[in-house]
Amino acid sequence: MPIDLGNEWTDRLDRVEALAISKKISAEDRSHLAAFPEIVVLTHLILDPPTSAPDPKELYLATTAELSRRFARIYTTLGTQDPLYRHFCLPPDLRPGPSV
């Protein structure tokens, strides 16, 4: 994602793994726990976008603006390489790889 949350997720994961009880939780579940707040926001924004704009590009821009607002970071758009751009603006048959 153009918003880099890797450092925050790594810091959270380190704090979770420092707890003795975390040894009883699978590594995958610990990773989900570290990323949970952002994953919920991202899923909501993609599945239920913040606007009902009829133009896909307007919807894409509104979604990236909402991501920037919610994460207090600038969402750096990557043009046609941006997975959200592909999700909102390209027809399903023209989307490379799995859709977002």
Side-chain angles (χ1 to χ4, degrees), residues 2-63:
I3 293 178
D4 182 15
L5 296 167
N7 289 337
E8 287 180 43
W9 290 349
T10 300
D11 291 345
R12 285 185 208 152
L13 189 56
D14 289 345
R15 287 192 303 257
V16 167
E17 290 179 342
L19 302 171
I21 193 72
S22 76
K23 304 306 178 228
K24 296 180 180 183
I25 302 170
S26 73
E28 182 178 2
D29 286 344
R30 290 192 306 262
S31 295
H32 288 157
L33 181 62
F36 181 77
E38 290 80 20
I39 296 303
V40 169
V41 171
L42 289 170
T43 301
H44 175 72
L45 286 173
I46 292 168
L47 297 179
D48 187 21
T51 183
S52 59
D55 177 27
K57 289 182 182 173
E58 286 181 30
L59 183 55
Y60 164 69
L61 293 173
T63 302

